[in-house]
Amino acid sequence: MGLSLSCTSSIETEKPNVVIIYTDDLGIGDVSSYQMGQLKTPGIDRLADEGIRFDNAYATSATCTPSRYSLLTGEYPWRNKRAAVLQGNAALLIDPSAPTLPKLFKENGYSTGVVGKWHLGLGDGNINWNTHIDLGPNKVGFDYSYIMAATNDRVPTVYVQNGDVVDLDKNDPIMVDYRQNFEGEPTGKENPELLKVHPSHGHNMSITNGISRIGFMKGGQSALWVDEDMADTFLVRAKQFVKKHKDKPFFLYYALHQPHVPRVPHPRFAGKSGMGPRGDVILEADWCVDEFLKTLDELGLSENTIVIFSSDNGPVLDDGYHDQSPELVGTHTPWGNLRGGKYSLYDAGTHVPFMLRWQGKIKPGVSDALISQIDLYASFATLFKTENKRPDSQDLLNVLMGKSVKGRDHHITEGLQGRLAFREGDWVLIPPHKGGKKISWGVDMETGFSLRPQLYNLKDDPGQKMNLAEDYPEKTEQMMKIFEGIKSE
Ligand code: NG6
Ligand code: CA
């Protein structure tokens, strides 16, 4: 007994709490600390003022599921064939026997939790929402989970806590189908009069809370979420987790749903940005971050907690609902001075805001080092002096702690349909890819595809206006070789 107590106290002194706050579709220009746009995000900026703002940080993919897969596993998403945007009834993507970031924390004595957007699959592909769902976050390293299964525009629109749908009435079972509707159930396509938010493309299937979604569902009335309350619901759970575990090391993955569509702010934030719902939900997310940081302050945890802030992919305006995001964006530039955005192989698809704060331990500043979210696994393995089991993940602990500016030499990013680009130093190569230059289904976004190789120097040309592939054929060829080599490792 005495021995176990002394072990616990040594863990407490050596192991900082770690929180990853992860937004959904937030652009680098949406965060005012980067000084590229018009929105004011004082809550998020606090992390940059009190920590390190990384100006060259990447998600591995321009969509959600693959980026989250890398963040939590330390493996490039394209090594796993299923790591693409998942539907709400998709099977668990992460192999329960594989090393993961939450497992790494758990193995080192941490309590681990995830609150918010999951989007990494649940169950075995034949999920029954009315019984306990065994395969999920709790099988890949999280002790506690309070999540939405996929996205806020996909059914089922319910919260799942530790594998059980929250507030489900067993007499009103949930049924989900992504191919066909349930007889007699209204849809956005057939019953637009029932909608308070209207789709611009897709999103015309089952209606819950006056919003039509992707996929069909029936039942589960008492369990349906209210979009307007989602920010508060997740914030409460995130705070509860921290309060409960304040005396022992904890790892919390707090995955906010904003500003992904449908953008439905709480009335407290409606109309506050002057940019319509997209701006409003970003202010709401910023408030959530601020409130969360205040909770750490109140609990006296700010000094012993590493807080990391980032986003899963770049920004997009109209992503499927008429929410006036293109009309009201004005001079605000969610993508900053970069080209592209969500879904794109151009830089703004994956070049995301990233900050790390460890008060009292690291000196506030700005870092230009090339880093990727995939590197958190190896970097924390180093902090715990344990083995890095993920070769794609690089130990950048010294960079994250501001002791070095030597980041990665190279990084591979993914756009749509598993197409890849290769960054090396200041250069980025987009190999030839077949496919349209613009997204085909109604989103106003460049894919980055071209049948000719594209080579850009991001230092001189962050907006990727000058394709230098023909001027630098040797550089293009040399990068192509390194890229192919890494892919086949
Ligand atoms: C797309 C959806 C889009 C969004 C995206 C996933 C349509 C037409 N578009 O298929 O709205 O949900 O998937 O976004 O259905 S992500 O951020 O989770 O990757
Ligand atoms: Ca996303």
Side-chain angles (χ1 to χ4, degrees):
M1 192 62 186
L3 187 67
S4 79
L5 276 177
S6 71
C7 282
T8 312
S9 73
S10 91
I11 283 172
E12 275 168 19
T13 50
E14 285 169 23
K15 299 191 168 162
N17 308 308
V18 176
V19 179
I20 299 177
I21 303 177
Y22 207 58
T23 46
D24 193 0
D25 301 357
L26 189 74
I28 196 163
D30 287 320
V31 177
S32 46
S33 174
Y34 284 93
Q35 299 177 325
M36 292 168 163
Q38 307 296 325
L39 279 169
K40 292 276 170 282
T41 54
I44 301 168
D45 290 359
R46 207 186 137 185
L47 292 170
D49 296 343
E50 297 170 355
I52 303 176
R53 190 189 80 202
F54 289 87
D55 288 359
N56 231 331
Y58 284 80
T60 59
S61 174
T63 57
C64 170
T65 302
S67 287
R68 284 163 206 259
Y69 179 82
S70 294
L71 174 80
L72 294 185
T73 65
E75 180 175 70
Y76 275 129
W78 38 269
R79 298 208 194 269
N80 184 326
K81 289 276 167 288
R82 284 189 56 233
V85 173
L86 296 179
Q87 301 296 29
N89 58 355
L92 178 64
L93 175 64
I94 300 172
D95 178 350
S97 67
T100 66
L101 188 63
K103 278 188 197 171
L104 177 69
F105 284 107
K106 226 165 122 75
E107 286 154 12
N108 285 280
Y110 283 62
S111 296
T112 56
V114 50
V115 172
K117 177 174 180 172
W118 179 239
H119 211 186
L120 290 163
L122 292 175
D124 60 1
N126 193 16
I127 192 167
N128 179 351
W129 299 93
N130 306 292
T131 56
H132 180 71
I133 303 158
D134 191 42
L135 285 173
N138 301 54
K139 276 283 186 284
V140 299
F142 289 106
D143 300 316
Y144 175 73
S145 59
Y146 190 100
I147 56 165
M148 65 159 124
T151 58
N152 47 335
D153 55 359
R154 281 177 173 75
V155 300
T157 54
V158 296
Y159 300 117
V160 182
Q161 180 170 235
N162 293 326
D164 295 307
V165 172
V166 177
D167 290 336
L168 180 66
D169 174 359
K170 296 276 175 214
N171 297 318
D172 180 25
I174 297 176
M175 281 175 279
V176 170
D177 197 314
Y178 270 78
R179 286 154 307 168
Q180 57 183 15
N181 194 15
F182 299 95
E183 217 184 309
E185 293 296 306
T187 62
K189 190 172 178 194
E190 277 141 27
N191 307 86
E193 74 284 357
L194 299 177
L195 299 178
K196 63 181 178 192
V197 177
H198 291 263
S200 57
H201 54 263
H203 303 98
N204 60 1
M205 293 161 246
S206 286
I207 304 171
T208 61
N209 191 30
I211 303 166
S212 50
R213 319 271 170 166
I214 306 170
F216 302 100
M217 81 174 283
K218 183 183 168 158
Q221 278 300 319
S222 58
L224 299 179
W225 72 49
V226 175
D227 301 74
E228 288 82 344
D229 295 336
M230 187 173 275
D232 289 339
T233 303
F234 287 149
L235 177 63
V236 164
R237 296 291 162 171
K239 284 183 179 181
Q240 273 174 3
F241 180 84
V242 169
K243 282 181 189 153
K244 184 162 176 206
H245 299 287
K246 67 180 175 38
D247 296 326
K248 283 194 194 151
F250 62 80
F251 166 62
L252 173 66
Y253 171 41
Y254 176 22
L256 279 69
H257 67 291
Q258 304 106 322
H260 195 284
V261 296
R263 297 156 182 147
V264 190
H266 189 274
R268 299 196 304 281
F269 297 94
K272 286 285 185 293
S273 68
M275 288 180 202
R278 184 175 186 278
D280 297 345
V281 298
I282 293 174
L283 298 189
E284 181 187 65
D286 185 65
W287 174 84
C288 292
V289 173
D290 196 48
E291 284 293 303
F292 182 81
L293 296 180
K294 278 189 203 148
T295 302
L296 293 182
D297 293 341
E298 282 156 22
L299 296 171
L301 294 175
S302 293
E303 297 233 325
N304 194 34
T305 303
I306 296 177
V307 181
I308 296 168
F309 176 89
S310 199
S311 176
D312 65 343
N313 52 252
V316 59
L317 295 177
D318 181 342
D319 200 17
Y321 293 93
H322 289 294
D323 60 11
Q324 290 196 288
S325 47
E327 293 84 352
L328 296 177
V329 72
T331 56
H332 176 60
T333 45
W335 41 84
N337 59 347
L338 312 176
R339 185 168 176 181
K342 181 175 182 177
Y343 308 112
S344 181
L345 268 180
Y346 290 122
D347 206 41
T350 47
H351 191 157
V352 287
F354 190 107
M355 294 151 187
L356 186 147
R357 184 188 81 170
W358 190 1
Q359 274 186 315
K361 283 279 181 165
I362 58 169
K363 246 177 65 196
V366 174
S367 173
D368 241 348
L370 178 61
I371 65 168
S372 167
Q373 292 166 3
I374 201 175
D375 301 321
L376 293 178
Y377 180 87
S379 303
F380 282 109
T382 300
L383 183 73
F384 300 137
K385 302 186 172 59
T386 58
E387 184 199 351
N388 173 20
K389 297 178 186 161
R390 291 296 200 175
D392 291 333
S393 182
Q394 296 186 5
D395 165 24
L396 298 183
L397 187 64
N398 283 333
V399 175
L400 294 173
M401 297 296 134
K403 290 185 194 146
S404 163
V405 287
K406 172 93 189 65
R408 292 182 146 256
D409 293 330
H410 48 66
H411 184 237
I412 296 178
T413 55
E414 185 192 70
L416 268 185
Q417 293 140 1
R419 314 275 173 81
L420 305 177
F422 180 55
R423 166 97 186 244
E424 190 200 21
D426 294 328
W427 296 89
V428 63
L429 169 75
I430 307 180
H433 292 298
K434 281 190 201 147
K437 293 214 177 307
K438 286 270 189 148
I439 284 181
S440 57
W441 65 83
V443 179
D444 181 20
M445 185 63 69
E446 293 181 292
T447 58
F449 302 165
S450 166
L451 291 176
R452 293 186 315 146
Q454 299 174 72
L455 180 73
Y456 300 98
N457 186 302
L458 291 174
K459 192 163 192 154
D460 303 336
D461 178 25
Q464 295 177 297
K465 293 190 179 79
M466 294 265 294
N467 180 4
L468 300 174
E470 278 177 19
D471 298 340
Y472 294 87
E474 278 163 28
K475 179 80 193 162
T476 305
E477 203 176 310
Q478 175 224 342
M479 281 182 71
M480 198 69 197
K481 269 205 188 114
I482 304 173
F483 169 61
E484 292 296 346
I486 299 168
K487 275 204 306 179
S488 60
E489 269 166 16

mmCIF file of all heavy atoms in Angstrom, residues 5 127 148 374:
data_model
loop_
_atom_site.group_PDB
_atom_site.id
_atom_site.type_symbol
_atom_site.label_atom_id
_atom_site.label_comp_id
_atom_site.label_asym_id
_atom_site.label_seq_id
_atom_site.Cartn_x
_atom_site.Cartn_y
_atom_site.Cartn_z
ATOM 1 N N LEU A 5 1.375 4.140 -2.955
ATOM 2 C CA LEU A 5 1.137 5.575 -2.733
ATOM 3 C C LEU A 5 2.336 6.408 -3.184
ATOM 4 O O LEU A 5 2.210 7.417 -3.852
ATOM 5 C CB LEU A 5 0.879 5.848 -1.239
ATOM 6 C CG LEU A 5 -0.563 5.640 -0.785
ATOM 7 C CD1 LEU A 5 -0.682 5.863 0.709
ATOM 8 C CD2 LEU A 5 -1.494 6.587 -1.529
ATOM 9 N N ILE A 127 -23.613 -2.068 -36.445
ATOM 10 C CA ILE A 127 -23.806 -1.511 -35.106
ATOM 11 C C ILE A 127 -25.281 -1.501 -34.679
ATOM 12 O O ILE A 127 -26.165 -1.170 -35.472
ATOM 13 C CB ILE A 127 -23.188 -0.092 -35.050
ATOM 14 C CG1 ILE A 127 -23.088 0.437 -33.637
ATOM 15 C CG2 ILE A 127 -23.919 0.868 -35.948
ATOM 16 C CD1 ILE A 127 -22.202 1.678 -33.531
ATOM 17 N N MET A 148 -19.803 12.427 -30.136
ATOM 18 C CA MET A 148 -20.721 12.146 -31.239
ATOM 19 C C MET A 148 -19.971 11.177 -32.150
ATOM 20 O O MET A 148 -18.743 11.254 -32.288
ATOM 21 C CB MET A 148 -21.112 13.424 -31.978
ATOM 22 C CG MET A 148 -19.988 14.118 -32.679
ATOM 23 S SD MET A 148 -20.605 15.202 -33.952
ATOM 24 C CE MET A 148 -19.912 16.749 -33.503
ATOM 25 N N ILE A 374 0.998 14.342 -36.342
ATOM 26 C CA ILE A 374 1.378 12.931 -36.266
ATOM 27 C C ILE A 374 2.552 12.726 -35.294
ATOM 28 O O ILE A 374 2.781 11.618 -34.811
ATOM 29 C CB ILE A 374 1.741 12.422 -37.690
ATOM 30 C CG1 ILE A 374 1.651 10.917 -37.789
ATOM 31 C CG2 ILE A 374 3.107 12.885 -38.121
ATOM 32 C CD1 ILE A 374 1.885 10.408 -39.201
#
